[in-house]
Amino acid sequence: MVYAHQRIDLTDYTRSRIDFFSQVAINAKSKLIFESSKRVKYINFNETKLQRIIDNNLTNAIKYTFENEDIYILLYEEKGFYKLQFSSHSTLIQEPKKIFEEYYREEKLKEGFGLGLNLVKKICDEEGIKIDLESNSHSTTFTYYFKKENNENSAT
């Protein structure tokens, strides 16, 4: 299946997905906090794929964040890329090299099939999106590097 690319404002789109999940986070006793270094950030990407990346990270953060802890979504520019970061206070990911494997799940007691991050990884591989994962005993952060749109104007 071919997924058409279109010009998407990453800031606005990320904010809309956060708004969509904010009540779910509140029900889980967390709050989604979004920070962006610039108002408009355009990328050339497929909306369905972008939604899968963002939604999977938000639902995982909500599912695995410690109760009464905030979830931070940061979006900023760095050397020709937009870095989209999802950071939450959660337990250490024991097998960071396996976390993107199909059917792999760290916490068997949580609902899920272990397919979400595998799908995210496949999308990122197809689209040339670099992923960084940092995890320690206090927090976990997933960072995605999206290429800036070449003909972006300098709107702020």
Side-chain angles (χ1 to χ4, degrees):
M1 178 176 229
V2 174
Y3 290 93
H5 285 202
Q6 63 192 57
R7 189 174 195 231
I8 299 173
D9 177 351
L10 188 55
T11 304
D12 189 50
Y13 192 82
T14 302
R15 188 176 284 120
S16 75
R17 300 314 300 158
I18 290 167
D19 290 347
F20 183 81
F21 283 98
S22 63
Q23 190 59 51
V24 177
I26 291 167
N27 292 346
K29 298 186 177 18
S30 293
K31 189 165 58 173
L32 300 173
I33 298 173
F34 181 55
E35 295 177 14
S36 179
S37 63
K38 186 175 160 192
R39 188 172 52 83
V40 178
K41 294 179 176 57
Y42 287 109
I43 60 170
N44 188 24
F45 211 79
N46 176 267
E47 185 175 348
T48 301
K49 288 181 172 185
L50 183 59
Q51 182 177 340
R52 287 183 180 146
I53 292 169
I54 294 172
D55 288 7
N56 183 266
N57 279 273
L58 291 173
T59 56
N60 282 347
I62 292 166
K63 189 188 306 186
Y64 295 108
T65 296
F66 298 137
E67 201 170 275
N68 299 312
E69 292 286 351
D70 294 336
I71 298 163
Y72 294 90
I73 303 94
L74 308 173
L75 177 59
Y76 52 95
E77 272 184 76
E78 187 176 282
K79 297 179 185 162
F81 291 92
Y82 293 128
K83 287 173 70 170
L84 179 58
Q85 215 166 47
F86 300 86
S87 189
S88 61
H89 295 278
S90 58
T91 58
L92 170 72
I93 292 177
Q94 300 293 320
E95 300 280 351
K97 297 224 184 301
K98 289 186 176 183
I99 200 77
F100 294 102
E101 289 179 8
E102 197 169 31
Y103 303 114
Y104 180 78
R105 292 174 50 224
E106 289 258 324
E107 293 190 34
K108 307 295 188 234
L109 299 177
K110 300 282 185 181
E111 290 182 30
F113 295 103
L115 295 172
L117 283 174
N118 179 257
L119 178 60
V120 165
K121 174 87 167 85
K122 284 180 181 176
I123 290 170
C124 290
D125 288 349
E126 289 169 3
E127 299 296 335
I129 305 299
K130 179 183 171 214
I131 306 171
D132 276 342
L133 166 60
E134 294 179 37
S135 184
N136 59 45
S137 59
H138 304 292
S139 68
T140 296
T141 301
F142 286 86
T143 305
Y144 299 85
Y145 296 81
F146 290 86
K147 294 179 196 113
K148 288 173 62 174
E149 189 177 85
N150 288 336
N151 60 351
E152 179 178 331
N153 61 28
S154 57
T156 54

